[in-house]
Amino acid sequence: MLQRNPDSFAMPTFNMSDYFEGRTRAWGMFETITGKVKKSFVADIEGRWDGDEFLLEEDFTFSDGEKEARVWRLKFNDDGSFQASCADTPTPGKGVMTAMRGDLAYSMALRVGGKKMMLSFTDLFYQIDEHTVLNRAKVKKFGIPVGQVLISFRKV
C-alpha cells in the first residue's frame, strides 16, 4: 500500500478571497456516478470586494454551446467560516477554510435536460501553487450521489 508522508510536499495556505481576487479561468467537467462525462465547460471568473462581501462573477461556456452566468456573494467570518449565495441557491451555503483547503456545502437549482432540479454540492478546494486551485464537488439529488464536478482554476 502506498504510504503518504504529509511533510513530503508543501501546499500553500488557501485563502479563497486572496486567490480569486482578479481574473481566473476554470476548466471543468461533470462526471456521473458511473464515470461517464456528461458535459465539460470553460469559465471566466472575476473576483472583487464590494464592501464586506466578496463577489465572484462567473461566465460559463459549456461543451454543448450553452452559456450561463452566475454571481456568488461570499461573506467571511473571523473564525474561518463563510457563507456563499447566488440567485440559484435557496439558502446560503456554509463553508470553512482550513490551512490547506476550503470546504463548501450548498444546494442549487440547475437546469438539467431542460428542467430545473435541486442538487446538493459538497465542494473541496485545494490550492496547489500560487496560480492553481483544484476543486472536486460531489453532487447529490435527494441525498443520493449522482456524480461529481472536477474543476481546475488558473490565475490569468
Side-chain angles (χ1 to χ4, degrees), residues 3-39:
Q3 299 218 348
R4 300 170 90 187
N5 178 353
D7 298 323
S8 65
F9 64 95
M11 291 173 64
T13 299
F14 181 61
N15 181 301
M16 190 172 284
S17 61
D18 286 351
Y19 178 80
F20 283 107
E21 191 165 17
R23 294 182 56 222
T24 309
R25 176 162 275 191
W27 297 264
M29 65 180 191
F30 174 76
E31 177 184 43
T32 67
I33 197 74
T34 61
K36 183 178 179 183
V37 175
K38 294 292 259 181
K39 205 178 236 192

Side-chain angles (χ1 to χ4, degrees), residues 39-154:
K39 205 178 236 192
S40 62
F41 60 86
V42 174
D44 289 309
I45 303 164
E46 183 77 32
R48 63 182 169 80
W49 284 100
D50 182 21
D52 65 345
E53 288 187 322
F54 187 74
L55 303 182
L56 278 176
E57 298 175 359
E58 303 173 321
D59 290 306
F60 291 88
T61 302
F62 293 92
S63 52
D64 61 3
E66 184 180 342
K67 293 188 181 291
E68 188 173 298
R70 181 175 299 114
V71 177
W72 284 94
R73 296 182 168 285
L74 287 78
K75 289 188 177 183
F76 297 96
N77 303 311
D78 292 336
D79 63 359
S81 66
F82 65 97
Q83 292 185 328
S85 61
C86 69
D88 298 317
T89 57
T91 59
K94 296 187 184 311
V96 65
M97 290 193 309
T98 60
M100 294 180 64
R101 75 179 201 206
D103 297 35
L104 176 61
Y106 57 96
S107 293
M108 178 183 284
L110 288 178
R111 187 165 304 284
V112 179
K115 299 179 190 175
K116 278 252 183 174
M117 65 176 59
M118 190 61 65
L119 299 169
S120 298
F121 292 78
T122 304
D123 282 58
L124 296 177
F125 295 86
Y126 293 94
Q127 187 166 358
I128 302 305
D129 60 35
E130 65 182 284
H131 303 288
T132 311
V133 166
L134 300 178
N135 171 250
R136 181 188 69 221
K138 294 188 177 191
V139 184
K140 294 181 180 181
K141 181 179 175 186
F142 302 122
I144 300 168
V146 294
Q148 66 180 351
V149 179
L150 302 170
I151 307 171
S152 175
F153 297 94
R154 188 87 174 151

